[in-house]
Amino acid sequence: MPDTPQQPSVLFVCVHNAGRSQMAAAFLTHLAGDRVQVRSAGSAPADTVNPAVVEALGEVGIDISAQVPKVLTVEAVQASDVVITMGCGDTCPVFPGKRYLDWQLPDPAGQGVDAVRPIRDEIEQRIRALIDDIAPTARA
């Protein structure tokens, strides 16, 4: 058997860690399984995940009702290979050798599920492309 490369790790960051970063982390976990380590955090985490986000993900079979927003730590950034900010101008510690991406996405805060669905679908497409980039599977 060939050596398997180290499992890549991804950190999703937004201010409240209640919407976009939660959706991105949930899709990456759902689609990549144990091929990728997934973290999400916010610089000023909310008390709860946005209910419209929970509902929108539930519609595609992903349950994040037990998730809670987490505070961004320097350790989380240091432990991640890829750091993705979610278009909210977040300041994030920068370390050499990390890959930083900024995904400009509308903020679902205060929006109903109808407004969250297109954001969810855009995040899913970006996650699928990210997986192909950092954790491709062998195709038969």
Side-chain angles (χ1 to χ4, degrees), residues 22-23 25-27 29-31 49-68 120:
Q22 289 282 350
M23 284 191 280
F27 269 119
T29 300
H30 181 74
L31 296 170
V49 174
N50 180 332
V53 167
V54 173
E55 183 178 345
L57 282 175
E59 291 174 353
V60 295
I62 301 173
D63 180 8
I64 64 163
S65 59
Q67 293 298 317
V68 293
R120 172 201 66 200

Side-chain angles (χ1 to χ4, degrees), residues 16 18-20 23 50 52-53 106-112 115-116 119:
H16 300 299
R20 294 166 287 190
M23 284 191 280
N50 180 332
V53 167
D107 189 348
Q111 304 291 318
V116 173
I119 302 168

